[in-house]
Amino acid sequence: MEIIVCKSYEEMSERGAAIIAAAMKEKPDFVLGLATGSTPVGMYHALADKNRAGEIDFSRVTTYNLDEYYPIDPKNDQSYRYFMNKNLFDLVNIDKANTHVPDGSAADPEAACRAYDEAYAKTGYADIQVLGIGRNGHIGFNEPDAALTVGTHVTGLTEDTIDANSRFFASADEVPTHALTMGMGTILKAKKILMLINGKQKHEVLTALLDDKITTAVPATFIKLHSDVVVICDEEAYRG
Ligand code: GLP
């Protein structure tokens, strides 16, 4: 696991965008795994700037997102589909038909999860999977638990996550209690993992990520089993 410590959120975002841009230039039909949350927004905007400047091209890029609330209408401004359109897809020359987010409005969510995994497998999996991290150590919506799930699945959200994510909703009562998320196995299929971590509130979880243990109590620690991981963090997260 390679750790890059940056002075600021802006530097972290630029470093992440530079890694993705360099890889995209090598492979026009790039498969990009994406995450939501406030952490990667700066990096997505930096990628959009590079696209606008003609440095990178999204026309043949395919994306797969980690997760989506359930149930939620994709048009709802709190849905992860809406978030991705606003923060990346509407800002670059990507074909929306090539962008994939689990379907929060599926009548049969279990079937939607299976179909998502099957379609994702056909791409050969992400060349780079972007990850943020929940302050309780979740990735995607793989919450701390006695056991973790391998494939894409329906999951309940913990009180801590509902509380953390309530800042985007009118109140905690409006945060959906469930989600569709890639499983740990799906996430680890990516060829490379790029995790971004910023802010003091992530210091404790970053510390757990940097020790020599893996535990389902901190799902993100499973990325230590992957052979190509870059963690880019800011000094606040690193030093606390
Ligand atoms: C959400 C998402 C995660 C994300 C996490 C951290 O719950 N499901 O993919 O990494 O929250 O969000 P933030 O970057 O806003 O701290």
Side-chain angles (χ1 to χ4, degrees):
M1 198 158 83
E2 184 189 348
I3 317 285
I4 301 172
V5 184
C6 297
K7 289 210 161 45
S8 63
Y9 176 80
E10 289 68 31
E11 189 189 337
M12 177 191 81
S13 303
E14 287 298 334
R15 290 291 288 267
I19 290 172
I20 294 174
M24 278 176 64
K25 283 181 204 163
E26 297 293 312
K27 192 178 177 228
D29 57 345
F30 204 74
V31 182
L32 184 56
L34 295 168
T36 54
S38 47
T39 309
V41 171
M43 184 178 76
Y44 294 158
H45 291 173
L47 285 171
D49 289 345
K50 289 183 191 300
N51 181 239
R52 218 171 299 117
E55 202 190 309
I56 51 172
D57 175 23
F58 281 82
S59 64
R60 291 177 57 200
V61 170
T62 299
T63 67
Y64 272 82
N65 262 79
L66 287 171
D67 52 6
E68 177 62 283
Y69 289 116
Y70 189 84
I72 201 160
D73 186 326
K75 291 195 184 70
N76 183 317
D77 63 5
Q78 295 306 331
S79 75
Y80 284 172
R81 162 52 77 179
Y82 187 97
F83 173 99
M84 288 312 307
N85 286 347
K86 180 170 151 228
N87 287 301
L88 185 64
F89 304 150
D90 286 342
L91 310 178
V92 298
N93 70 327
I94 199 161
D95 179 349
K96 283 258 179 74
N98 294 335
T99 67
H100 306 270
V101 179
D103 182 2
S105 64
D108 182 344
E110 307 283 354
C113 289
R114 280 194 300 276
Y116 199 72
D117 273 349
E118 277 163 25
Y120 181 42
K122 286 196 186 122
T123 69
Y125 300 109
D127 292 292
I128 293 182
Q129 172 68 58
V130 175
L131 292 180
I133 188 169
R135 63 189 185 194
N136 67 357
H138 73 233
I139 51 177
F141 272 128
N142 293 274
E143 297 278 32
D145 208 339
L148 302 175
T149 303
V150 175
T152 300
H153 60 284
V154 183
T155 186
L157 303 184
T158 61
E159 285 302 321
D160 188 66
T161 297
I162 291 173
D163 173 52
N165 290 7
S166 66
R167 69 190 193 275
F168 302 112
F169 290 81
S171 72
D173 293 344
E174 286 182 29
V175 185
T177 53
H178 288 74
L180 311 181
T181 183
M182 280 189 191
M184 297 304 299
T186 331
I187 292 170
L188 292 172
K189 295 266 195 203
K191 293 171 188 126
K192 182 184 187 81
I193 287 179
L194 179 64
M195 179 176 269
L196 303 181
I197 310 181
N198 76 288
K200 267 202 220 51
Q201 74 284 5
K202 300 283 175 74
H203 174 64
E204 208 178 311
V205 77
L206 176 56
T207 306
L209 193 62
L210 297 183
D211 73 18
D212 195 27
K213 305 265 190 309
I214 53 172
T215 168
T216 62
V218 185
T221 56
F222 276 71
I223 67 169
K224 294 183 228 186
L225 298 176
H226 195 286
S227 58
D228 189 354
V229 179
V230 179
V231 175
I232 313 182
C233 61
D234 70 351
E235 282 186 353
E236 284 198 350
Y238 192 71
R239 297 188 211 292

